[in-house]
């Protein structure tokens, strides 16, 4: 994510050694260089173009009329090449709770079917993507005055490269016989659906159940990446039950990925990586540890506070947790903290801090629902505090008898010294939030300023700037951004199909007919987003259902910022709650603690989060009192 992403399950079965697999490995190495280098360069150029726009607008007072347009063109190329990198790494978001529980033999079969299903979607969309890009030649961009095909060509090129990567991954993952069976299974399913396509229009809106409930559900639980699950279901629905040209699917994906607000996504991802690399995150944690480390449960309070400070900037909760946990867990273990409680609290703080700006989830909600980003940034601060207090109450109860005989209290001079060192790091999150909230700069502009600030702080203040890590960080930025943006594109197409079917109107009528008005609507929304967060992860759930539910919330009298906070926190609970929430397993992987150890301790923290969520839902002022 969240914008949480989850790597594919680790392969613990033997990889094939046939000749085709060896050839595929050689080709893939070449392809990695072919894609990684331009993807990394695009991140650099994107930052440079946007920084020029900021300097010319705010310093020279002569806005560059072409900077945003060029950034938008490069952005789509970055999204598609990033999707290719993410595909090659196996980092597209997918649900692995069920697949991961299977024996290695069956897991390898399901993995091959998942790759073949993604390949089927890419094969079906390569033609429409080419035609879409070709038709854009008649559209001229207003500032640069060039054909829009220069931008739209990113779609067929990216799809073709992902198609090639999928074929190579099939050859590298399974034996020829297993590959043939997996491909045959997918071909049979596609063939059967095509054969009965003529009869599907007769069953009307039951097709929504067939494609978007049974279809998406089956694909997600089989471990097919969520973006491709959405894409397959949407493409099948459009192609088999309507007369709408399939090129419309590509057009809607393009629309979803090209929203100007989303330009901030890769920039905040890069900013988060820079904060970790320059030591700024560690400086914040060091100050908090000196301040609170001597009280019972003190380092647990530090964990809650540190996640609040660093959360949301990187675009990945895994990155947030990875910045905090290694700095705190060794000392917490020395003090006798149980491993299960450590991972449980880490996972719970991931859910608690979902609304903390500059969260990628907040930016996504703003892009798909039209809610003000500044209002969301303002409204997200206090709900995180409320949930942090409920978690702190559980920490106090559990650690009220902690033995602190071996703990040395930091002196006032040590606390002051660590505070002075941490000032530049602590200031950054607040500067970012204040600049957006006060309307000084947009989220995209402030992210470029944050990158420049962090680079200078790393070079001049903290003297930690590992140049050898820059290229991998740029590629990581492209990969995570591509995974997030492809899901947004696919979910936008799916939401459009649901809207065109009349489903949104029927859903609105149903939700408004529920007894209890606002209270019932909020309760149903909380339950729905907890489930969706655990199955679909955060961003897909938000993009898919945000445009459907937010208009209903307005009609029943719920403030859109208040509703945003409620559904984000509910989604976060689902994302970080076992047994399905992938955020929980990410916390386990980062902590190197077995998932079983955290199952019992996390119950108390989840109850605390639910209590906090109920308080936020019941008192709108918490979300909108400072707007």
């Amino acid at each position: 994510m969240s914008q949480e992403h989850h790597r594919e399950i680790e392969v613990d079965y033997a990889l094939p050694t046939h000749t085709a697999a060896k050839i595929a490995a050689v080709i893939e190495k070449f392809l990695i260089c072919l894609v990684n280098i331009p993807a990394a360069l695009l991140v650099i150029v994107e930052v440079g173009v946007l920084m020029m726009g900021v300097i010319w607008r705010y310093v020279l007072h002569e806005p560059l009329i072409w900077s945003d347009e060029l950034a938008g063109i490069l952005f789509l190329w970055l999204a598609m090449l990033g999707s290719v990198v993410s595909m090659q790494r196996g980092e597209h978001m997918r649900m692995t709770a069920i697949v991961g529980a299977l024996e290695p033999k069956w897991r390898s079969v399901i993995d091959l079917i998942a790759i073949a299903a993604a390949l089927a979607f890419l094969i079906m969309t390569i033609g429409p993507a080419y035609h879409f890009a070709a038709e854009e030649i008649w559209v001229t961009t207003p500032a640069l005055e060039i054909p829009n095909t220069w931008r739209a060509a990113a779609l067929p090129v990216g799809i073709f490269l992902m198609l090639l990567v999928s074929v190579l991954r099939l050859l590298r993952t399974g034996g020829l016989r297993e590959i043939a069976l997996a491909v045959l299974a997918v071909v049979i399913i596609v063939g059967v659906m095509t054969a009965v396509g003529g009869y599907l229009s007769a069953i009307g809106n039951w097709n929504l159940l067939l494609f978007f409930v049974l279809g998406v559900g089956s694909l997600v639980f089989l471990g097919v990446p969520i973006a491709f699950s959405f894409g397959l279901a949407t493409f099948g629905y459009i192609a088999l039950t309507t007369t709408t040209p399939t090129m419309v699917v590509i057009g809607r994906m393009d629309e979803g990925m090209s929203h100007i607000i989303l330009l901030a996504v890769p920039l905040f991802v890069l900013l988060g990586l820079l904060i970790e690399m320059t030591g700024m995150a560690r400086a914040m944690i060091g100050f908090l540890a000196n301040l609170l480390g001597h009280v019972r449960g003190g380092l647990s309070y530090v964990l809650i506070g540190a996640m609040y400070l660093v959360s949301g900037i990187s675009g990945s909760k895994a990155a947030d947790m990875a910045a905090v946990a290694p700095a705190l867990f060794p000392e917490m273990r020395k003090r006798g903290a149980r491993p299960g409680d450590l991972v449980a609290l880490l996972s719970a703080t991931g859910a608690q801090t979902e609304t903390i700006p500059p969260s990628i989830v907040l930016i996504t909600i703003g892009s798909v629902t039209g809610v003000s980003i500044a209002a969301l940034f303002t409204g997200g601060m206090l709900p995180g505090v409320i949930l942090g207090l409920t978690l702190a109450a559980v920490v106090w109860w559990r650690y009220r008898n902690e033995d602190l005989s071996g703990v040395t209290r930091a002196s006032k001079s040590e606390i002051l010294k660590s505070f002075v060192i941490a000032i530049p790091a602590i200031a950054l999150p607040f500067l970012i939030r204040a600049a957006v909230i006060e309307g000084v700069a947009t989220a995209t502009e402030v992210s470029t300023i944050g990158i420049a600030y962090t680079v200078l702080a790393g070079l001049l203040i903290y003297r930690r700037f590992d140049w050898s890590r820059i290229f991998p960080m740029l590629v990581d930025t492209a990969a995570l951004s591509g995974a997030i943006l492809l899901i947004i594109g696919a979910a936008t197409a799916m939401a459009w199909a649901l809207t065109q079917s009349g489903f949104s109107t029927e859903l609105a009528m149903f939700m408004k007919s529920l007894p209890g008005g606002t209270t019932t609507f909020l309760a149903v929304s909380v339950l729905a987003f907890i489930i969706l967060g655990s199955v679909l992860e955060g961003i897909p759930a938000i993009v898919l259902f945000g445009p459907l539910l937010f208009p209903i919330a307005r009609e029943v009298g719920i403030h859109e910022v208040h509703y945003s906070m409620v559904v984000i926190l509910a989604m976060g609970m689902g994302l970080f709650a076992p047994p399905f929430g992938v955020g929980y397993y990410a916390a386990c992987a980062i902590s190197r603690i077995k998932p079983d150890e955290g199952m019992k301790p996390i119950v108390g923290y989840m109850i605390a989060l639910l209590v906090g969520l109920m308080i936020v839902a019941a008192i709108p002022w918490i979300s909108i009192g400072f707007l």
Side-chain angles (χ1 to χ4, degrees):
M1 213 156 279
S2 124
Q3 58 310 340
E4 183 65 40
H5 77 290
H6 187 60
R7 286 180 181 268
E8 295 187 21
I9 49 180
E10 292 184 13
V11 176
D12 56 3
Y13 44 83
L15 291 173
T17 57
H18 53 76
T19 304
K22 294 177 181 177
I23 295 172
V26 173
I27 296 173
E28 191 171 39
K29 286 183 180 179
F30 169 74
L31 191 61
I32 289 171
C33 294
L34 182 68
V35 177
N36 284 8
I37 293 173
L41 288 174
L42 278 170
V43 175
I44 294 175
V45 174
E46 192 80 80
V47 173
V49 169
L50 291 169
M51 181 62 73
M52 285 176 62
V54 170
I55 293 171
W56 259 254
R57 179 177 290 118
Y58 293 104
V59 179
L60 303 179
H61 304 292
E62 294 181 6
L64 298 174
I65 59 173
W66 51 265
S67 61
D68 285 349
E69 189 173 288
L70 178 59
I73 293 171
L74 298 175
F75 180 63
L76 187 59
W77 280 95
L78 174 60
M80 295 309 295
L81 291 183
S83 297
V84 177
V85 176
S86 194
M87 171 76 79
Q88 184 274 324
R89 293 178 168 195
E91 290 181 352
H92 278 289
M93 300 179 193
R94 62 185 292 226
M95 168 124 178
T96 58
I98 292 176
V99 177
L102 299 176
E103 295 194 6
K105 174 186 172 183
W106 291 107
R107 192 187 306 172
S108 66
V109 173
I110 298 299
D111 273 350
L112 288 171
I113 291 175
I115 297 171
L119 179 60
F121 172 72
L122 296 167
I123 291 172
M124 287 187 281
T125 53
I126 185 73
Y130 170 79
H131 292 299
F132 176 81
E135 288 199 4
E136 290 295 296
I137 198 169
W138 305 109
V139 179
T140 302
T141 62
L144 296 173
E145 297 184 346
I146 59 175
N148 200 43
T149 298
W150 285 101
R151 187 189 67 84
L155 292 162
V157 171
I159 289 173
F160 172 75
L161 290 172
M162 280 191 281
L163 192 156
L164 183 56
V165 168
S166 298
V167 172
L168 295 174
R169 292 194 66 219
L170 271 178
L171 293 173
R172 287 182 53 248
T173 305
L176 295 178
R177 180 173 174 272
E178 290 81 5
I179 292 170
L181 290 174
V183 171
L184 181 62
V186 173
V187 169
I188 289 173
I189 294 171
V190 173
V192 169
M193 293 302 296
T194 304
V196 302
Y199 304 98
L200 293 177
S201 57
I203 63 174
N205 274 357
W206 285 103
N207 283 308
L208 300 178
L209 179 66
L210 176 64
F211 285 93
F212 298 125
V213 179
L214 297 178
V216 171
S218 300
L219 291 167
V220 168
F221 283 114
L222 279 173
V224 177
I226 293 172
F228 297 101
S229 299
F230 286 0
L232 277 168
T234 306
F235 193 92
Y237 175 78
I238 294 295
L240 299 176
T241 69
T242 73
T243 57
T244 305
T246 53
M247 191 171 69
V248 171
V249 176
I250 301 298
R252 298 285 77 78
M253 289 180 66
D254 174 42
E255 179 186 345
M257 289 189 290
S258 300
H259 202 293
I260 191 68
I261 294 175
L262 296 177
L263 276 168
V265 170
L267 302 182
F268 277 122
V269 172
L270 178 60
L271 178 58
L273 294 172
L274 285 170
I275 286 173
E276 185 276 326
M277 189 261 281
T278 55
M280 294 175 72
R282 188 170 290 273
M284 286 188 273
I285 294 167
F287 164 64
L288 292 173
N290 283 339
L291 187 66
L292 298 172
H294 62 281
V295 302
R296 288 186 172 89
L299 293 184
S300 295
Y301 299 134
V302 171
L303 176 60
I304 296 171
M307 282 293 288
Y308 186 93
L309 285 175
V310 306
S311 183
I313 294 177
S314 71
S316 167
K317 270 292 178 288
D320 296 338
M321 293 187 291
V324 172
L328 287 176
F329 278 15
E331 181 62 27
M332 294 174 81
R333 286 176 187 269
K334 287 181 186 177
R335 297 190 182 189
R338 294 180 298 276
D341 198 54
L342 293 181
V343 73
L345 181 58
L346 181 64
S347 186
T349 56
Q352 168 230 338
T353 54
E354 284 285 7
T355 64
I356 307 302
S359 164
I360 301 298
V361 177
L362 292 179
I363 293 170
T364 303
I365 275 197
S367 73
V368 300
T369 65
V371 181
S372 164
I373 297 291
L376 289 171
F377 276 28
T378 305
M381 300 293 286
L382 194 53
V385 172
I386 299 298
L387 268 66
L389 291 174
T390 61
L391 290 178
V394 176
V395 168
W396 173 82
W397 177 258
R398 288 186 175 178
Y399 289 89
R400 64 191 186 281
N401 297 319
E402 184 183 15
D403 181 13
L404 297 178
S405 56
V407 177
T408 303
R409 181 170 183 168
S411 65
K412 292 182 178 179
S413 62
E414 287 175 322
I415 295 173
L416 181 61
K417 181 181 178 181
S418 63
F419 174 67
V420 172
I421 293 172
I423 284 175
I426 294 173
L428 177 60
F430 291 100
L431 287 174
I432 288 173
R433 291 154 189 160
V436 176
I437 290 168
E438 297 299 324
V440 175
T442 66
T444 303
E445 291 168 341
V446 83
S447 61
T448 61
I449 297 169
I451 289 170
Y453 177 99
T454 305
V455 170
L456 291 174
L459 289 171
L460 304 178
I461 300 175
Y462 294 104
R463 303 293 177 90
R464 283 187 56 183
F465 202 87
D466 188 351
W467 291 98
S468 65
R469 290 183 58 187
I470 296 299
F471 181 74
M473 284 169 52
L474 294 171
V475 177
D476 288 345
T477 298
L480 179 54
S481 302
I484 292 171
L485 294 164
L486 189 65
I487 278 189
I488 292 176
T492 300
M494 186 169 163
W496 177 85
L498 287 170
T499 302
Q500 294 301 306
S501 70
F503 172 76
S504 57
T505 303
E506 294 177 9
L507 178 66
M509 292 175 63
F510 170 74
M511 295 294 277
K512 285 190 286 188
S513 68
L514 291 172
T518 300
T519 304
T520 304
F521 179 75
L522 281 174
V524 171
S525 296
V526 166
L527 180 61
F529 274 93
I530 288 176
I531 296 171
L532 289 169
S534 66
V535 176
L536 295 182
E537 304 192 29
I539 287 176
I542 293 296
V543 177
L544 187 56
F545 289 95
L548 302 179
L549 292 176
F550 272 71
I552 306 171
R554 294 187 192 103
E555 287 191 35
V556 298
I558 302 174
H559 195 285
E560 53 195 7
V561 174
H562 177 217
Y563 188 63
S564 298
M565 299 307 130
V566 171
V567 299
I568 290 173
L569 292 173
M571 174 272 298
M573 284 189 63
L575 180 62
F576 286 92
F580 293 121
V582 297
Y584 174 73
Y585 296 101
C588 292
I590 290 163
S591 310
R592 297 182 180 179
I593 296 170
K594 293 180 179 178
D596 293 348
E597 296 186 57
M599 292 289 187
K600 186 176 179 181
I602 203 172
V603 173
Y605 291 125
M606 283 295 155
I607 292 173
L609 289 175
L610 184 60
V611 170
L613 174 56
M614 292 169 64
I615 293 172
V616 172
I619 307 174
W621 181 88
I622 294 172
S623 303
I624 63 176
F626 295 97
L627 297 183

